[in-house]
Amino acid sequence: MINQRIFSLLQCPTCRVRPLVVEANGVRCPRCQTLYPFCDGYIDLMPRGAEFDYVSKYVSDEEQLAAELDYRELAPPLLAAGVRDRTLRRLMRWQKNDIVLDNGCGTAKHAVWNAKYVGLMVGSDPATLFADEAVRTVTLAKADSRLLPFADNSFDKVFAIDILEHFPLPVIDAYLAETARVLRPGGRMLAFSNTRERSPIQPLIDVSRFLGRLFVKAGVYDFEREKLRKSDHIKALETWEDVLAAFERAGLRPVKVIFWNSLFTTFVEHVLMKLGEALIGRSRGRSASESVPSRVSAGAAREIRARQRMRSRLRKKGPVYYALLAVTLLMELDLWLFGWMRCGSYFILVEKPRS
């Protein structure tokens, strides 16, 4: 869905001119005459002729990842994604007239889950692995965050969930500088990411990791899809001081910080959830609606089947949904109990100064 309100926010990512001219099949720059076409539910607003040293794996390997990540259908916001989403809503305090950018939206699941709370939700990503529901309900742009196709001071709020850990430092600086440019004075940005720092309660957290390794060794499950998803994590911001310095260079002032010391979360993700996936994702009893790529590993196929089967149950919001909601709230306890203790994973809320 392309909301016409986005047209007034656009500028040419190639020559930085605005406004763009709306035509039947796209938007055109009046200076360089570049046509940015309307595609299947999004606008292709990638800068033309730009060459970047760094290209995300999600762009270079988009076709492979499209087959393996099972991204097109969204589940409700539960488990770790649910904790991220609940914290996003709590810290951002959405207003009905907010114009919001999900900068590096991926599937745009957080944009979908929060679109109803704001005036206009825009999702932007250079890869087009957008969920079907996002294509139907969110205004989407194929765009590079180093040259955003939006005018200065366009957005009231911006968020970036699981983004910064993918980038080398020059890309982080460009990403944050562009985010600050399109954010209005007084506007706020929320980022969730992680450094290389260990938690003060890491020995307790590692108990769950140890149990997970025992199950992997026994062949009960594996973490191959998780390794694929995280295979391009760079974590160029290695310490908390690095994080603060990066936002300071972009001119963004910290407002609030919550650390995620994942005591309960690691048990859920490394033991409880993986055992459930191993049980639910067994190959027998496959339905015609299930679709698992043939070239993925046995463990990845089992995990994809489990997620597809669970999504069909979660739509009904029955006992399974409320059981997973209870587990989500258990995971959120990590923030309420230990959020003051510095560790690698963090939520940071920052503000663009008014002057």
Side-chain angles (χ1 to χ4, degrees):
M1 179 192 75
I2 300 174
N3 190 316
Q4 293 185 3
R5 292 181 62 188
I6 195 176
F7 297 145
S8 64
L9 307 179
L10 296 180
Q11 73 175 25
C12 177
T14 303
C15 70
R16 316 296 270 186
V17 163
R18 66 180 302 263
L20 302 185
V21 179
V22 181
E23 299 183 355
N25 57 346
V27 289
R28 187 181 298 277
C29 174
R31 176 186 290 174
C32 68
Q33 291 299 306
T34 300
L35 178 68
Y36 300 98
F38 299 141
C39 300
D40 185 15
Y42 65 91
I43 311 175
D44 183 351
L45 287 160
M46 290 292 286
R48 305 306 194 245
E51 294 186 7
F52 298 111
D53 293 334
Y54 169 81
V55 178
S56 166
K57 181 186 72 172
Y58 288 85
V59 175
S60 61
D61 300 342
E62 183 171 338
E63 184 175 348
Q64 175 191 354
L65 291 169
E68 297 184 9
L69 291 182
D70 184 35
Y71 69 94
R72 296 191 61 176
E73 189 175 359
L74 295 182
L78 295 167
L79 302 175
V83 176
R84 288 170 172 82
D85 200 65
R86 289 168 61 86
T87 307
L88 173 67
R89 292 202 310 271
R90 175 159 56 94
L91 295 181
M92 293 299 265
R93 298 179 180 178
W94 303 126
Q95 302 294 321
K96 277 296 185 182
N97 61 344
D98 280 341
I99 300 175
V100 181
L101 174 64
D102 182 355
N103 190 7
C105 63
T107 63
K109 61 186 177 185
H110 291 286
V112 169
W113 294 334
N114 290 274
K116 63 185 177 182
Y117 302 116
V118 302
L120 176 65
M121 178 68 73
V122 178
S124 169
D125 202 284
T128 57
L129 301 173
F130 304 132
D132 291 346
E133 188 175 356
V135 171
R136 293 193 301 268
T137 62
V138 175
T139 299
L140 298 168
K142 180 180 181 180
D144 193 290
S145 295
R146 289 163 286 191
L147 288 172
L148 285 173
F150 307 112
D152 296 358
N153 308 325
S154 292
F155 293 95
D156 299 295
K157 292 168 183 171
V158 179
F159 61 92
I161 306 296
D162 294 309
I163 301 298
L164 298 181
E165 66 270 23
H166 293 271
F167 297 154
L169 190 57
V171 177
I172 291 173
D173 283 342
Y175 175 98
L176 293 178
E178 276 291 273
T179 300
R181 180 184 65 80
V182 303
L183 191 62
R184 68 167 176 80
R188 292 187 169 186
M189 173 192 181
L190 178 79
F192 172 76
S193 187
N194 48 80
T195 67
R196 296 183 181 274
E197 297 188 15
R198 288 170 60 85
S199 168
I201 56 172
Q202 195 66 44
L204 293 176
I205 294 171
D206 286 342
V207 172
S208 295
R209 296 182 183 275
F210 174 75
L211 291 174
R213 286 195 296 270
L214 292 180
F215 282 114
V216 170
K217 188 175 182 179
V220 178
Y221 53 73
D222 61 47
F223 289 93
E224 293 307 310
R225 285 186 77 238
E226 186 70 6
K227 289 179 181 177
L228 175 66
R229 190 177 68 82
K230 295 183 176 181
S231 61
D232 69 337
H233 283 197
I234 297 172
K235 297 186 180 180
L237 301 178
E238 297 187 5
T239 68
W240 181 240
E241 286 77 16
D242 294 337
V243 174
L244 294 177
F247 282 97
E248 182 179 357
R249 288 193 297 273
L252 296 169
R253 178 180 62 86
V255 174
K256 187 175 181 64
V257 176
I258 300 175
F259 294 103
W260 195 347
N261 293 269
S262 56
L263 178 62
F264 301 115
T265 298
T266 301
F267 176 73
V268 171
E269 293 189 329
H270 282 249
V271 181
L272 187 61
M273 188 172 71
K274 297 298 292 185
L275 286 173
E277 288 173 349
L279 178 65
I280 297 168
R282 291 177 298 180
S283 60
R284 67 168 182 253
R286 285 183 60 180
S287 70
S289 63
E290 292 174 16
S291 175
V292 179
S294 59
R295 63 175 180 268
V296 303
S297 67
R302 182 171 57 239
E303 185 175 334
I304 291 172
R305 282 195 300 271
R307 290 172 181 260
Q308 291 176 348
R309 292 170 184 178
M310 286 300 295
R311 283 197 298 260
S312 65
R313 301 180 189 182
L314 293 174
R315 294 192 197 100
K316 302 174 184 177
K317 289 201 173 181
V320 174
Y321 171 86
Y322 288 105
L324 289 182
L325 179 59
V327 174
T328 303
L329 297 177
L330 173 67
M331 296 168 75
E332 193 174 0
L333 275 179
D334 286 330
L335 304 183
W336 293 105
L337 295 177
F338 314 120
W340 54 274
M341 289 193 300
R342 173 171 160 172
C343 69
S345 297
Y346 61 87
F347 294 89
I348 183 169
L349 180 67
V350 296
E351 184 175 81
K352 180 177 179 177
R354 295 183 183 275
S355 60

